[in-house]
Amino acid sequence: MNKVILMGRLTRDPDIRYSAGENSMAVARYTLAVDRRFRRDGEATADFIGCVAFGRNAEFAEKYLRQGTKIAITGRIQTGSYTNRDGQKVYTTDVVVEEQEFAESKAAAASSGAYEGNMQQPASRPAPSSASIGDGFMNIPDGIDEELPFN
């Protein structure tokens, strides 16, 4: 069985490319900084793990993921190799993303200063009203169902 579960923060915005041909597909590459369980000399250490997402997962990454975003992913490890321009063989190891989801709320990310740039509302969407309907839930404006990142 080849199954990987990771939780960490993006080290930078995802790199998005599209495959060539009639049925082009989005390909997103990003690196997750995953904290190690134990500290070395009192300092936290992290592993930097390369991830690649295809199709709808890549489109999700392009639209919603930014540097500092804390996400949880599941996927599989894939190894490969290629010959670089100098004629040397280079070996690669990536996690192919099968599922990805946010691992913290926007409010938690804002309070920790993780990714302030991602906290702004897009200009095309009106900011949601802070008025609640009395049951502790925020009113969601009509017509934005297509823009939500989940079904």
Side-chain angles (χ1 to χ4, degrees):
M1 177 187 301
N2 183 354
K3 185 81 165 179
V4 176
I5 302 170
L6 299 171
M7 182 166 43
R9 293 189 184 276
L10 272 74
T11 60
R12 61 179 174 268
D13 290 354
D15 177 33
I16 311 298
R17 300 189 182 195
Y18 289 87
S19 62
E22 286 182 35
N23 299 327
S24 68
M25 180 189 325
V27 179
R29 290 189 173 276
Y30 53 84
T31 302
L32 279 184
V34 178
D35 290 332
R36 291 186 180 170
R37 180 173 230 149
F38 302 103
R39 296 173 179 251
R40 185 185 323 163
D41 300 328
E43 292 187 28
T45 58
D47 292 303
F48 299 90
I49 301 171
C51 302
V52 60
F54 298 96
R56 293 180 65 89
N57 283 330
E59 292 167 5
F60 177 88
E62 178 179 34
K63 190 169 185 180
Y64 298 106
L65 302 184
R66 299 289 173 261
Q67 178 179 349
T69 305
K70 188 173 188 178
I71 62 170
I73 66 166
T74 60
R76 60 185 167 79
I77 290 183
Q78 181 171 297
T79 60
S81 65
Y82 64 92
T83 304
N84 67 12
R85 293 179 180 156
D86 299 331
Q88 297 173 334
K89 193 159 195 168
V90 177
Y91 295 93
T92 62
T93 303
D94 290 308
V95 173
V96 177
V97 176
E98 294 170 353
E99 298 176 36
Q100 57 194 355
E101 60 187 65
F102 295 106
E104 70 182 354
S105 67
K106 283 188 174 183
S111 67
S112 69
Y115 62 111
E116 295 174 15
N118 200 22
M119 301 303 294
Q120 298 173 357
Q121 292 285 337
S124 64
R125 184 186 325 160
S129 166
S130 61
S132 64
I133 49 180
D135 58 358
F137 293 96
M138 181 178 70
N139 289 327
I140 298 176
D142 293 331
I144 69 164
D145 292 346
E146 304 82 44
E147 296 180 21
L148 295 176
F150 45 84
N151 295 329

